[in-house]
Amino acid sequence: MAGSTLEKLTTGMQEAASETSSRSPQAHRPEHLAAIHCENLSVFYGAQQALFNISMDIPRHRVTSFIGPSGCGKSTLLRSFNRMNDVIENVRLEGKVLIEGENIYEPGTHLPTLRKNVGMVFQKSNPFPMSVRDNILFGPRRQGVKNRALLEQIIEDSLRRADLWNEVKDRLHTSALDLSGGQQQRLCIARALANSPRILLMDEPASALDPISTAKIEETIYELKDEYTVVIVTHNLQQAARCSDITAFLYLGKLIEMNETAKVFRNPSNKQTEDYVSGRFG
Amino acid sequence: MVDTRSASGGDAAEARTLRAASRPSGEGAPYIWTTSLAVVLVLVMLVGIVVLILVNGLRTFWPSPLVEVLLRDGTRYLGEVHAQEAKPQAQRTGRAGAPAEYRTKLKIGNRDLGAADFVWIDNASIKAQRPPSDALVFERLEYGNFYGRLKEVRAGERPVAGGGEEGIATLRRFHRTAAGKRQKLDDLRREQLNIRQPLTNLEREISALRGSRFAVSEEGAAELRRLEPQLGPLQNQLNEKVRPLVVEQERLRRDLEGLRVVMETANGKIASIALADIVRVTQPNTMGMHHKVLHYLGKLIEFIWQQPRESNTEGGVFPAIFGTVLLVFLMTIAVVPFGVVAAVYMHEYARQGRLLRIVRVAVNNLAGVPSIVIGMFGLAFFVYGVGGTIDQLYYSRYLPTPTFGTGGILWASLTLALLTLPVVIVASQEGLAAVPQAYREASLALGTTKWQTIHRVVLPNATPGILTGIILAISRASGEVAPLMITGVVKLAPSLAIDGSWPFLHLDRKFMHLGFHIYDVAMQSPNVEAAMPMVYSTTALLLLLVLALNSVATIVRGKLRQRYAGSKL
């Protein structure tokens, strides 16, 4: 219910800010297209190659998880979906990444619009040293939303969706840094949702949290897939099994296997996958 | 080795024990001793100099008791004891090994009666000395202090009081009257100047034009021909206006001339002094604590708020305080935006490569350039270059008399800005580097542009670092004198850089400065010994001023740090 209100309220904002969405409005988005489609994607850090010819389709309104041992390129792959790799110097990329049909590595891509539509939550919670309220509104304000009622609505909706509303509704003006670790991470999720993205990328969102906070985050993730396409990188195999629909296993920069989560964990088609999910290495 | 960070809180004691235990007994002790000794030495020197300056600077205004000394040869002196010391070996009369002989330095004033301000007296030649209760000290507008006894007070030509307590009371009463009249006279004079201002402006314009190259041209000559006839009528008109003022002033001046005090010095010389020339009458030997404190505060306020007198060795230093603060203020306005913008480009936008490394090294080295070199550059670039060009373009009619093409507060503050620029750039870069990369990524991932990220996230969180740079810049700038001496500081500025006449802030004006004031009074004044207390006081004031400017910046930084508590700056 809250979601539909937000959808309505933020249409104005999307028209104002996003070129992509005005070119392919939500209503006419072809359903058969994958949310993210990549083709022969290779990423290099200087001379070192981090990803090798990755091709995959990530379906919309599903939770997709990337698993694999450290350094296998999960995060690199995730960060190439909203071009956050551009921040790092000496990164080179080959191949294509299509977000809802559009190649985001085409010259002339408007990065702020892309990143507004493809939100991201980082491994370490990184709320700004501002009030809870200002954290949530950081994105919408930068995109030029001025309407006070709309801003209030955005705060409540995004906090509700991140399961944080009941805990912080009375202290929206206190510093975000006074929240607990788990709350801070959920605040970061809420902050990303305040931009009303279509895709949410999460880079090990629960790795620095205690089991109870982790459980809350997982619950949140599971609820989010009704409205968003979620991609999550995780170290924790149980987490992938619990809250994702599709699992991709990466190893040494290559995509080894990608399938329904149940299949990957119970009946993997690849030997390496089997070894990894059964705990024989990694 | 125990990690000291874990030693916080309740574990501190335990950690200390562990650390002590992990060190073999005695090992390293000499190093600890020598290093701590260095710190102690530094502290001793630092505290020593601050205490010396503050004690000497702050006691200047405390009234010192008077002594009357009778020497064996019959000479009498009246004055303040300034110093006691053992006589130099060469001047001693006794055999080697005899007990040390002492001498006393007495301030006896009365410069107009032909004596030097100070005398040295051999303690051995003193027959008697006592603190006379009826001795008076006059602080005068000219010739320094007067020490003596009251003989009589005169109003007009007739005596109104003799000596003694009663006479002193009368003297004080008449002195107040005289001071009031003097104040009135000053006000009238100022009013007269204000009325004559248009005439002064016209005269200045004409005399500037007469000396200029412009006057030789056809156009200039025409301008002069147009202006000169205006002079006479304006003069007549204004003279008519100020006539009553002039008459009133003349009357006051005659009154004041009649108000005199006749004094007798220790040696029996008689002196007649106009009451209007006396700034303050004190009778130090009878003053109670209460009066001494009032006297002290009065002199302190005079020091801070008044104009200097007697070529800067008496009176106040207000113009110098004003000049110093305004200079630092203008310097800050100039250097901060420039330095921060440069640091933002170097840290946030520029490609981190070899060229940038070279630029960083160059900026760091710029901080080591001697200030006199920067001063020379300021003179050549700002004063002659920029100022000269401004004169060519906008004030060419007055050339060769310069307007902006000569030292002034604007050029001096820009020169200081150049001097402190590296400090601001380096500190700002450190401030920017201390902003966690996670904030930048979080902001960018929320769909902001790079500039929005810098403006909304990076700069606010770097503010404490930037303020550190400003603090360092202020400290450095408020202590610099050398570059100012060639870019516009003067011994005595006729008017402040801010006043009531349009455009209120006169950036082309010369200015006074506390640092230069210290140098000038200590090294260039006609009576260096008498000026010594003033040097200490001015130095103490400069120290306190720098401390105050720094404290303001530090408090602001502390407030900001609280606000961005999580950024670990």
Side-chain angles (χ1 to χ4, degrees):
Chain A
M1 179 209 85
S4 59
T5 340
L6 188 67
E7 200 80 3
K8 252 186 284 163
L9 283 164
T10 50
T11 18
M13 167 174 145
Q14 283 175 348
E15 277 167 15
S18 113
E19 278 177 45
T20 318
S21 62
S22 63
R23 261 187 270 131
S24 59
Q26 234 157 341
H28 304 137
R29 215 186 300 148
E31 268 311 308
H32 65 271
L33 271 182
I36 304 172
H37 167 81
C38 58
E39 228 175 279
N40 292 327
L41 177 69
S42 298
V43 176
F44 304 83
Y45 291 118
Q48 198 197 342
Q49 189 165 3
L51 291 180
F52 297 83
N53 293 317
I54 303 238
S55 297
M56 60 163 63
D57 277 317
I58 293 176
R60 72 179 73 240
H61 296 297
R62 289 277 193 285
V63 179
T64 304
S65 66
F66 293 169
I67 59 171
S70 297
C72 69
K74 311 182 291 282
S75 293
T76 305
L77 181 58
L78 194 73
R79 288 167 70 99
S80 51
F81 295 157
N82 66 346
R83 291 190 59 174
M84 279 304 284
N85 281 330
D86 293 18
V87 176
I88 304 160
E89 289 203 6
N90 287 327
V91 169
R92 197 159 51 80
L93 187 136
E94 286 168 5
K96 273 197 220 167
V97 176
L98 273 62
I99 303 279
E100 289 177 344
E102 299 202 21
N103 187 356
I104 59 169
Y105 285 93
E106 202 99 309
T109 303
H110 189 235
L111 286 186
T113 309
L114 166 70
R115 289 174 184 158
K116 183 199 116 14
N117 289 327
V118 185
M120 189 165 211
V121 174
F122 295 83
Q123 177 174 8
K124 214 171 148 279
S125 65
N126 51 4
F128 299 123
M130 313 168 176
S131 67
V132 171
R133 195 190 139 80
D134 288 342
N135 263 285
I136 301 283
L137 295 183
F138 187 85
R141 275 184 180 148
R142 299 294 90 77
Q143 265 105 43
V145 182
K146 292 225 168 62
N147 183 329
R148 292 188 76 88
L150 176 57
L151 289 173
E152 294 307 319
Q153 194 61 49
I154 290 175
I155 294 176
E156 185 172 345
D157 281 348
S158 27
L159 282 173
R160 272 189 198 287
R161 269 187 245 197
D163 259 341
L164 195 59
W165 174 251
N166 288 329
E167 289 162 65
V168 301
K169 64 183 172 195
D170 297 324
R171 41 182 192 151
L172 292 176
H173 291 278
T174 58
S175 170
L177 302 174
D178 293 341
L179 301 181
S180 74
Q183 287 173 330
Q184 287 192 12
Q185 189 61 300
R186 275 179 286 147
L187 176 65
C188 291
I189 295 175
R191 187 173 64 182
L193 296 181
N195 267 340
S196 57
R198 292 205 287 276
I199 298 168
L200 191 61
L201 308 175
M202 296 175 134
D203 191 355
E204 303 189 36
S207 70
L209 301 178
D210 62 282
I212 295 172
S213 304
T214 305
K216 280 211 153 189
I217 300 261
E218 283 176 11
E219 210 174 300
T220 309
I221 292 169
Y222 206 74
E223 285 165 11
L224 286 175
K225 72 170 177 180
D226 294 341
E227 290 161 48
Y228 307 93
T229 304
V230 180
V231 185
I232 169 170
V233 163
T234 179
H235 246 117
N236 182 332
L237 294 179
Q238 284 82 16
Q239 189 171 59
R242 274 195 302 265
C243 64
S244 69
D245 305 314
I246 294 163
T247 297
F249 172 60
L250 280 87
Y251 184 57
L252 296 178
K254 297 191 177 87
L255 177 62
I256 305 296
E257 185 168 352
M258 183 173 182
N259 218 324
E260 296 291 330
T261 300
K263 185 150 188 311
V264 171
F265 279 91
R266 289 205 202 104
N267 187 17
S269 55
N270 187 290
K271 179 78 172 62
Q272 279 170 318
T273 316
E274 192 183 342
D275 286 352
Y276 185 71
V277 296
S278 58
R280 248 165 289 191
F281 82 102
Chain B
M1 197 67 195
V2 173
D3 185 356
T4 44
R5 269 170 302 174
S6 71
S8 61
D11 297 338
E14 194 188 342
R16 221 173 294 132
T17 333
L18 279 172
R19 217 175 329 159
S22 68
R23 191 175 59 223
S25 66
E27 194 205 322
Y31 302 105
I32 297 173
W33 275 107
T34 32
T35 46
S36 61
L37 204 66
V39 174
V40 168
L41 215 62
V42 167
L43 282 180
V44 165
M45 288 194 288
L46 212 64
V47 171
I49 189 166
V50 170
V51 166
L52 175 82
I53 289 168
L54 286 184
V55 166
N56 279 303
L58 294 176
R59 76 162 186 210
T60 308
F61 309 121
W62 194 253
S64 38
L66 293 181
V67 288
E68 187 168 29
V69 179
L70 174 61
L71 300 189
R72 293 186 192 286
D73 63 4
T75 330
R76 277 174 195 275
Y77 289 117
L78 176 64
E80 301 164 6
V81 174
H82 257 234
Q84 290 263 9
E85 63 171 42
K87 272 172 75 171
Q89 194 71 43
Q91 291 180 23
R92 290 185 190 174
T93 49
R95 309 165 273 113
E101 295 165 31
Y102 287 89
R103 60 178 190 172
T104 303
K105 185 181 174 194
L106 210 60
K107 180 174 185 184
I108 55 168
N110 303 6
R111 223 183 299 157
D112 47 334
L113 298 180
D117 256 321
F118 293 87
V119 292
W120 282 103
I121 300 169
D122 276 358
N123 285 10
S125 66
I126 295 175
K127 192 170 165 195
Q129 69 176 52
R130 66 187 184 98
S133 60
D134 58 342
L136 294 179
V137 185
F138 294 163
E139 240 174 79
R140 296 181 294 178
L141 286 177
E142 280 172 24
Y143 303 119
N145 285 359
F146 184 92
Y147 300 90
R149 289 195 178 75
L150 178 64
K151 272 197 82 80
E152 62 178 30
V153 184
R154 287 168 167 272
E157 278 310 300
R158 60 196 175 80
V160 289
E165 280 307 310
E166 212 175 306
I168 291 173
T170 318
L171 169 66
R172 286 188 190 281
R173 208 170 60 240
F174 275 84
H175 179 240
R176 269 197 294 279
T177 319
K181 288 191 174 180
R182 219 195 123 71
Q183 184 63 48
K184 185 96 198 295
L185 194 64
D186 284 346
D187 291 349
L188 287 173
R189 202 176 292 147
R190 205 168 302 128
E191 200 181 329
Q192 183 182 347
L193 279 178
N194 277 343
I195 292 175
R196 288 173 59 96
Q197 193 60 49
L199 182 64
T200 320
N201 291 347
L202 185 62
E203 279 171 350
R204 200 175 293 157
E205 177 89 13
I206 287 174
S207 81
L209 277 179
R210 270 199 195 122
S212 72
R213 277 180 234 129
F214 178 61
V216 184
S217 71
E218 194 55 39
E219 210 182 330
E223 178 80 7
L224 263 179
R225 271 200 301 281
R226 187 178 68 79
L227 289 176
E228 272 166 342
Q230 295 175 12
L231 205 56
L234 188 63
Q235 210 160 12
N236 290 338
Q237 183 201 341
L238 292 180
N239 278 350
E240 202 54 47
K241 251 188 176 168
V242 299
R243 184 151 302 145
L245 296 181
V246 174
V247 171
E248 177 72 5
Q249 282 180 57
E250 202 47 51
R251 194 180 62 76
L252 280 171
R253 221 171 271 133
R254 262 200 313 279
D255 281 1
L256 284 174
E257 193 53 38
L259 288 174
R260 302 189 78 86
V261 57
V262 180
M263 297 292 289
E264 184 181 8
T265 68
N267 284 322
K269 274 192 197 163
I270 303 293
S272 165
I273 301 164
L275 283 179
D277 291 343
I278 299 173
V279 178
R280 197 177 271 113
V281 175
T282 37
Q283 196 180 358
N285 288 352
T286 59
M287 278 170 109
M289 200 31 129
H290 170 70
H291 279 108
K292 283 187 177 170
V293 170
L294 282 182
H295 175 94
Y296 185 86
L297 293 178
K299 289 212 62 162
L300 198 63
I301 290 168
E302 182 195 19
F303 179 65
I304 291 171
W305 287 112
Q306 297 291 312
Q307 302 284 327
R309 298 195 311 265
E310 295 242 45
S311 62
N312 294 354
T313 61
E314 297 279 341
V317 291
F318 180 72
I321 300 176
F322 186 86
T324 310
V325 173
L326 184 64
L327 182 78
V328 169
F329 188 69
L330 291 174
M331 180 281 299
T332 312
I333 290 178
V335 76
V336 171
F338 204 31
V340 171
V341 165
V344 164
Y345 178 75
M346 283 164 71
H347 196 269
E348 302 293 322
Y349 286 111
R351 222 184 103 81
Q352 308 290 315
R354 202 153 65 130
L355 183 64
L356 192 70
R357 268 207 306 283
I358 294 171
V359 171
R360 284 219 170 97
V361 170
V363 169
N364 284 337
N365 281 325
L366 199 63
V369 173
S371 57
I372 190 71
V373 175
I374 301 274
M376 285 298 192
F377 176 79
L379 179 72
F381 179 71
F382 291 125
V383 178
Y384 295 151
V386 183
T389 311
I390 291 176
D391 277 0
Q392 292 285 349
L393 294 176
Y394 302 106
Y395 299 91
S396 59
R397 50 191 309 179
Y398 301 127
L399 285 174
T401 311
T403 311
F404 273 97
T406 176
I409 193 157
L410 177 64
W411 303 142
S413 49
L414 289 183
T415 306
L416 281 191
L418 200 66
L419 185 77
T420 52
L421 189 61
V423 177
V424 175
I425 292 180
V426 169
S428 302
Q429 282 198 70
E430 274 162 22
L432 292 171
V435 177
Q437 192 60 28
Y439 288 176
R440 292 188 183 83
E441 293 202 344
S443 173
L444 287 174
L446 286 168
T448 60
T449 61
K450 183 133 190 171
W451 169 244
Q452 283 173 331
T453 298
I454 291 172
H455 172 58
R456 298 286 173 172
V457 177
V458 179
L459 277 181
N461 283 291
T463 321
I466 293 169
L467 276 168
T468 304
I470 298 175
I471 292 170
L472 292 173
I474 288 177
S475 306
R476 173 120 201 241
S478 43
E480 278 296 346
V481 177
L484 304 181
M485 288 167 77
I486 45 180
T487 51
V489 85
V490 286
K491 180 190 174 79
L492 196 65
S495 42
L496 297 179
I498 294 180
D499 64 15
S501 66
W502 205 84
F504 310 117
L505 177 61
H506 303 274
L507 292 175
D508 56 324
R509 284 195 183 159
K510 310 253 186 214
F511 62 101
M512 290 171 73
H513 184 268
L514 281 174
F516 182 73
H517 197 85
I518 294 169
Y519 167 76
D520 174 62
V521 177
M523 313 301 287
Q524 313 273 300
S525 75
N527 193 345
V528 172
E529 257 188 323
M532 192 84 119
M534 196 67 171
V535 175
Y536 275 121
S537 306
T538 314
T539 311
L541 185 68
L542 181 58
L543 278 189
L544 294 176
L545 190 75
V546 173
L547 195 69
L549 287 172
N550 271 341
S551 310
V552 170
T554 312
I555 289 167
V556 171
R557 183 178 59 177
K559 288 246 149 63
L560 283 169
R561 270 208 186 126
Q562 268 171 23
R563 204 163 122 205
Y564 302 110
S567 57
K568 296 182 192 73
L569 278 169

